[in-house]
């Protein structure tokens, strides 16, 4: 969880030796509301992904991958417990498809997370331990996954985060500028409104799902602009990745490794509450 009330990001990977070009635009926002002792957060996100495959020898029509839309809504609740513990529950619904025809139940995916969070802070030093589990398409397929995360603000200039699905080492140049070394995974899982015919050893198979996943190592620069806006620039190296076409039973019909290469992301985040609650201290959130 983070405190960003709004965001807009653009991601791009140029055409590589695998003849695949990846582009993605993401936007969304959250509205927090205090309910008695807890906080209820309502979030709405939209993303548009274009996976362009420039390969005349493909066994299917790659144009179906070029317009993947994702619209998701999530409701989260954070409840304080004793001894600086908090309980976080989150449930959401996603519609992810190329939408070449009307929306159906196959385009919809449920997701949820349940976490326990322990937060300790002494002056400018903050540590946060989070653990639990969830169900999502985090790794490119709908699946249950464990979540464990330890964040530490060790000094005024250094912080780090260990765990899954993200880890980083961060240097704070000033209260408004920081640089991070990151490791993370990313995944996309979508439904095809109309089945794609794939020629497999002379036999025609029909694909209904797309699974795309990558693992990243990268560097990220963030700079606060004015009171409420935050600009970030990210360059990441994909050390592993693949995409698969599957039938309705999640059996692989076609699989291709994604070549190792660079991904670039830039964007803006908005938060009107951050400065009111933290003044000029370095930001110490774990996301």
């Amino acid at each position: 969880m983070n405190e960003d009330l709004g965001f807009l990001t653009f991601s791009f990977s140029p055409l590589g030796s695998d003849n695949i070009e990846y582009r993605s635009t993401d936007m969304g926002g959250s509205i927090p509301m205090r309910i008695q002792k807890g906080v209820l957060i309502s979030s709405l996100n939209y993303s548009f992904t274009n996976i362009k495959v420039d390969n005349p020898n493909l066994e299917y029509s790659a144009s179906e991958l070029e317009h993947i839309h994702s619209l998701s809504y999530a409701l989260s609740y954070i409840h304080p417990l004793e001894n600086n513990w908090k309980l976080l529950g989150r449930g959401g619904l996603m519609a992810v498809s190329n939408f070449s025809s009307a929306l159906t139940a196959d385009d919809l995916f449920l997701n949820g997370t349940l976490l326990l969070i322990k937060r300790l802070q002494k002056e400018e030093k903050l540590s946060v331990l989070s653990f639990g589990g969830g169900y999502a398409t985090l790794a490119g397929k709908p699946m249950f996954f464990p979540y464990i995360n330890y964040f530490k603000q060790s000094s005024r200039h250094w912080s780090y985060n260990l765990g899954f699905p993200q880890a980083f080492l961060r240097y704070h140049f000033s209260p408004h500028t920081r640089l991070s070394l990151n490791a993370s995974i990313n995944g996309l899982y979508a439904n095809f409104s109309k089945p794609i015919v794939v020629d497999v050893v002379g036999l025609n198979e029909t694909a209904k799902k797309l699974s795309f996943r990558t693992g990243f190592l990268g560097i990220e620069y963030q700079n606060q602009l004015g009171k409420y806006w935050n600009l970030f620039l990210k360059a990441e190296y994909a050390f592993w990745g693949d995409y698969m076409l599957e039938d309705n039973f999640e059996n692989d019909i076609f699989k291709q490794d994604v070549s190792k290469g660079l991904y670039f992301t830039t964007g803006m985040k908005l938060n009107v509450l951050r400065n009111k609650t933290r003044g000029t201290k370095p930001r110490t959130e774990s996301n």
Side-chain angles (χ1 to χ4, degrees):
M1 301 298 298
N2 57 50
E3 296 177 333
D4 298 311
L5 300 186
F7 68 89
L8 174 65
T9 68
F10 302 94
S11 299
F12 168 70
S13 176
L15 196 69
S17 59
D18 54 9
N19 298 314
I20 299 174
E21 182 180 280
Y22 177 90
R23 298 174 183 265
S24 180
T25 301
D26 301 86
M27 64 187 72
S30 300
I31 301 176
M33 296 182 295
R34 183 168 294 279
I35 299 179
Q36 295 181 353
K37 295 182 179 180
V39 177
L40 188 69
I41 303 173
S42 181
S43 304
L44 183 66
N45 297 333
Y46 169 76
S47 67
F48 173 74
T49 302
N50 183 307
I51 303 174
K52 185 176 181 179
V53 184
D54 186 16
N55 186 347
N57 298 318
L58 280 180
E59 301 160 331
Y60 63 92
S61 174
S63 62
E64 300 294 337
L65 280 64
E66 296 183 8
H67 304 284
I68 304 295
H69 302 268
S70 173
L71 181 64
S72 63
Y73 174 78
L75 194 62
S76 308
Y77 180 69
I78 305 174
H79 185 76
L81 305 175
E82 296 181 355
N83 300 320
N84 289 325
W85 284 94
K86 292 183 180 180
L87 177 67
L88 184 149
R90 179 182 183 275
L93 179 66
M94 302 175 62
V96 191
S97 175
N98 59 351
F99 291 114
S100 56
S101 62
L103 177 72
T104 67
D106 290 336
D107 300 322
L108 303 178
F109 303 96
L110 295 172
N111 58 79
T113 307
L114 187 64
L115 300 178
L116 282 171
I117 304 169
K118 175 75 169 181
R119 177 186 176 101
L120 295 174
Q121 185 165 8
K122 185 177 181 180
E123 297 179 349
E124 292 182 353
K125 295 183 178 181
L126 169 71
S127 62
V128 181
L129 173 65
S130 308
F131 63 90
Y135 180 81
T137 57
L138 181 69
K141 285 179 178 288
M143 59 185 295
F144 290 96
F145 63 93
Y147 181 96
I148 183 166
N149 191 84
Y150 178 73
F151 171 82
K152 177 72 174 181
Q153 179 87 33
S154 56
S155 70
R156 179 179 178 84
H157 292 290
W158 287 100
S159 64
Y160 62 87
N161 190 86
L162 302 175
F164 176 85
Q166 181 190 40
F168 63 74
L169 175 65
R170 178 172 294 159
Y171 182 76
H172 302 255
F173 291 97
S174 72
H176 307 293
T177 307
R178 53 192 180 166
L179 189 69
S180 306
L181 296 176
N182 302 328
S184 63
I185 65 169
N186 190 23
L188 171 68
Y189 191 74
N191 184 61
F192 295 125
S193 296
K194 296 179 180 178
I196 298 177
V197 178
V198 183
D199 184 4
V200 182
V201 197
L203 299 176
N204 288 334
E205 299 281 354
T206 56
K208 280 287 292 178
K209 308 288 184 182
L210 165 69
S211 174
F212 184 88
R213 53 191 179 183
T214 45
F216 294 111
L217 294 173
I219 187 169
E220 180 178 0
Y221 170 81
Q222 297 188 36
N223 186 36
Q224 186 174 325
L225 305 176
K227 290 184 177 181
Y228 308 125
W229 291 98
N230 191 44
L231 168 70
F232 69 93
L233 304 169
K234 189 187 303 184
E236 297 175 297
Y237 179 75
F239 62 88
W240 159 82
D242 56 37
Y243 82 87
M244 294 169 287
L245 303 181
E246 303 176 347
D247 62 20
N248 255 339
F249 303 99
E250 299 186 8
N251 298 313
D252 295 346
I253 294 175
F254 177 89
K255 180 177 180 179
Q256 180 170 341
D257 291 335
V258 178
S259 67
K260 300 176 177 65
L262 291 175
Y263 284 69
F264 302 95
T265 303
T266 184
M268 298 285 292
K269 298 179 180 180
L270 169 67
N271 193 301
V272 299
L273 304 177
R274 183 173 296 135
N275 279 14
K276 293 180 180 180
T277 59
R278 292 184 179 171
T280 59
K281 291 183 180 181
R283 288 183 58 193
T284 55
E285 84 287 2
S286 58
N287 290 310

